[in-house]
Structures are given as structure tokens and as C-alpha cells.
Amino acid sequence: MDNKINYKHLHYFRTIAKEGSIAAASEILKLAPQTLSGQLSQLESDFGRLLFKREGRKLKLTPFGQQVFDYTDAMFSIADELSYFLNTDQLVERNIFRVGVSSSIHKLIVFNLLQPAYNKTPNLHLICKTGETERQLNELRSHKLDLIITDRLKVIDDITTFQLKEVLSSGISLFAAPSIATKLRNKGLPDSLQDAVLLANARNAVYFERLIAWLAKRNIHMRIGAEIDDSALIKIFGAHGMGVFAAPTMIADEVCRQYQVEQLLEIDSVQDKIYALYKDISNASPWIDEICLSGTT
């Protein structure tokens, strides 16, 4: 397959896919159906794969065609936005703030940390991406992100090349579905946690290692039932009785209310710490400063 991509053909392909037929697409593109059909055949020849299969009078994307469409639609959607931006009579400077967030951090905490940036700039355009800190570090290095909010310092090899600020620290609590919570209380906490199922965010989280050490000091061994590196998903598993999970004590009321679980124990000696990570020089410095200052108050 030729590595060169014909963007004109891709534009035609996208229109055909959206309209469902060559005839409908030809009216929009102002091209003869025969011309459009020939361009589509050329694109399929370039790719060496069929993009559509015919169902009656309609064209339906093949699995390969669907993948190509997803990339093509995303690419041209951004181009459409750029065209609108360049041609509008109301060109305004957008205050764009790009933030990466570790998926293991509870979303309410993230909201509370980011809120001060909005207080400083009400028309702020926030782009917030959740994911793995390891991957987001590359985006921070290449200035595709302005800030990372993370609880995963252990995965950062070159931490000295970044500015680091602790923005939150909270003891943790253990939670479980009501049926499990009642049984554990009746047997006597914390000893009743012996052999109970523990849902872990990730073994490389600092607080998790400290929690295991806290349990070991009391000769308690919990069975790891799952490792779920997503703060919302792990709570859903816990809410459905799949095991005990940990979350910062500072949001215990919200966790209990939202997921219909019960708080088992507060463990103040095990701290969950969250950090802001950023480069020395950033256009987003005013908003980063607000987040760092508010996180320590």
C-alpha cells in the first residue's frame, strides 16, 4: 500500500459514509456520481481493502472502513473547527488550559482542585484528559499538556526535570457494600478483614503499599480480588459487593452517598497524597499557581 494519503479522496469517502450513498454525497460535493465512484474505487485500491459493502441501495462501512472513517472524521472535524475559527468575524483569544489527570484519582477531588482556575479566568477553556501518568509525561514534556495531577510519583524516572507540588493529602478510609460492611462489623473490625477481598487501584500507588503495611502490622492479610486503575470503576465494583476498597477520607460522605456503600474504617496514618507536576515555563502558569495555592489551604 502506498504510504501517501490522498486527502481529497478521504474527504469524498467521509461524505459518502455520512450520507450513506454515492448519489446523496454527489449532490453535496457537486460531483457526478460516476466521478465520485471512480475516486472511491481509487481510494480502496490504494488501501488494498474494501471500505464499503452494499446493503440494498445503501452503502455500509466494512470493519476496516469504520476504522478509516473514525480517523478521517476526527481529522476533518478539527479542520472544520480551524476553518470556522479563521473565518469567523468574532476572533477571540481562547484561554486554553490542558490538564492530565491520573485515572485513579477521584473525580470530585479533581474538580475541587481545578475549580480555582475557573475562579481566576471564568472563560477558561479546559481540556482535561484522564489516563496513565506514564503516558501523560510524554505529553507534558512536549508541551501538549500544561499540568499533570497525579498520585503516582513512583512511575516518574526524571522527576527532577519537572516542578513538583503536593496539593492534597488525606487519610484513607475503607468502604464496602452494606451487606459486606454489616458482616465485617459483626465479626469485629479490623481483625474481620482477614481474608476479605480487597479491590486495589494499583499496586504501585504509594498509599496502597502503606495500607498493606498497616494491615501486616496487625497480622491481617486481605486477598487482592482485582486491580482497577480507575477511581469510579473500582467504587462501582465495591458497590456491587465485589470487595472492600479504599478512598480518601476527605470525600467519604460523597463516596457513601454516590455509590451507596458504607465506611468501615478511617486510617489516618495511611495518607493518600496528590501532586501537581509541570514544567518551569508555561503559558498556564497563572492557573497552575491558583491550583497549587488552593490545594495547600
Side-chain angles (χ1 to χ4, degrees):
M1 185 184 84
D2 191 347
N3 290 326
K4 294 181 180 179
I5 297 176
N6 189 312
Y7 292 98
K8 181 177 67 174
H9 290 173
L10 280 179
H11 173 59
Y12 296 161
F13 158 71
R14 180 195 186 213
T15 306
I16 295 170
K18 282 179 171 290
E19 297 303 317
S21 72
I22 289 177
S26 67
E27 294 183 10
I28 292 175
L29 295 170
K30 307 301 181 185
L31 291 172
Q34 296 85 348
T35 301
L36 201 54
S37 179
Q39 302 282 21
L40 176 61
S41 296
Q42 181 62 54
L43 185 62
E44 290 181 323
S45 176
D46 290 343
F47 289 158
R49 304 277 292 275
L50 290 178
L51 295 166
F52 293 101
K53 60 182 178 180
R54 183 171 293 279
E55 290 188 355
R57 295 186 176 182
K58 289 286 187 179
L59 291 177
K60 185 176 180 180
L61 288 166
T62 63
F64 173 74
Q66 183 63 59
Q67 290 181 310
V68 174
F69 175 79
D70 290 341
Y71 284 114
T72 302
D73 190 49
M75 179 178 66
F76 281 108
S77 292
I78 294 174
D80 290 343
E81 289 183 16
L82 175 60
S83 178
Y84 174 81
F85 174 73
L86 294 174
N87 289 286
T88 182
D89 292 331
Q90 298 179 344
L91 293 180
V92 293
E93 181 179 356
R94 291 194 301 173
N95 295 300
I96 300 177
F97 185 29
R98 300 175 175 87
V99 181
V101 179
S102 172
S103 57
S104 58
I105 301 176
H106 194 280
K107 305 310 180 278
L108 179 61
I109 289 177
V110 176
F111 173 79
N112 290 336
L113 287 173
L114 294 178
Q115 183 64 32
Y118 278 102
N119 294 338
K120 184 174 183 63
T121 309
N123 65 339
L124 182 67
H125 183 121
L126 174 67
I127 299 175
C128 189
K129 302 179 180 179
T130 60
E132 298 178 0
T133 297
E134 297 95 321
R135 295 182 179 180
Q136 293 181 338
L137 283 171
N138 290 328
E139 295 188 73
L140 185 61
R141 294 186 186 100
S142 60
H143 303 286
K144 294 178 181 178
L145 288 175
D146 301 304
L147 172 72
I148 293 177
I149 297 175
T150 183
D151 56 354
R152 302 296 168 85
L153 292 192
K154 293 182 66 176
V155 303
I156 306 173
D157 295 327
D158 54 346
I159 196 168
T160 57
T161 63
F162 302 103
Q163 290 293 314
L164 179 69
K165 180 73 173 182
E166 181 182 317
V167 293
L168 184 145
S169 181
S170 170
I172 70 162
S173 288
L174 297 181
F175 301 83
S179 58
I180 295 178
T182 299
K183 291 178 182 178
L184 292 174
R185 290 195 189 97
N186 289 341
K187 292 181 180 179
L189 289 164
D191 293 341
S192 59
L193 294 172
Q194 176 67 30
D195 294 327
V197 175
L198 176 64
L199 304 176
N201 271 106
R203 292 177 183 269
N204 64 359
V206 174
Y207 90 85
F208 180 75
E209 294 180 352
R210 291 173 179 168
L211 172 60
I212 296 301
W214 184 89
L215 292 167
K217 188 175 181 180
R218 290 156 180 79
N219 295 316
I220 297 171
H221 176 267
M222 297 184 71
R223 179 169 62 86
I224 305 298
E227 295 181 42
I228 304 171
D229 195 12
D230 182 277
S231 65
L233 185 58
I234 196 171
K235 293 173 181 62
I236 292 174
F237 271 67
H240 284 80
M242 303 300 290
V244 176
F245 66 91
T249 300
M250 66 179 297
I251 57 169
D253 290 344
E254 173 65 17
V255 171
C256 291
R257 182 195 65 79
Q258 183 174 352
Y259 297 97
Q260 299 298 298
V261 295
E262 295 181 8
Q263 186 177 10
L264 296 174
L265 287 173
E266 292 185 26
I267 310 176
D268 291 334
S269 60
V270 177
Q271 293 285 307
D272 185 21
K273 296 181 183 292
I274 297 176
Y275 302 87
L277 196 68
Y278 53 97
K279 301 288 285 184
D280 285 335
I281 300 174
S282 171
N283 292 330
S285 294
W287 306 311
I288 294 174
D289 289 343
E290 289 296 315
I291 291 170
C292 291
L293 288 173
S294 65
T296 57
T297 57

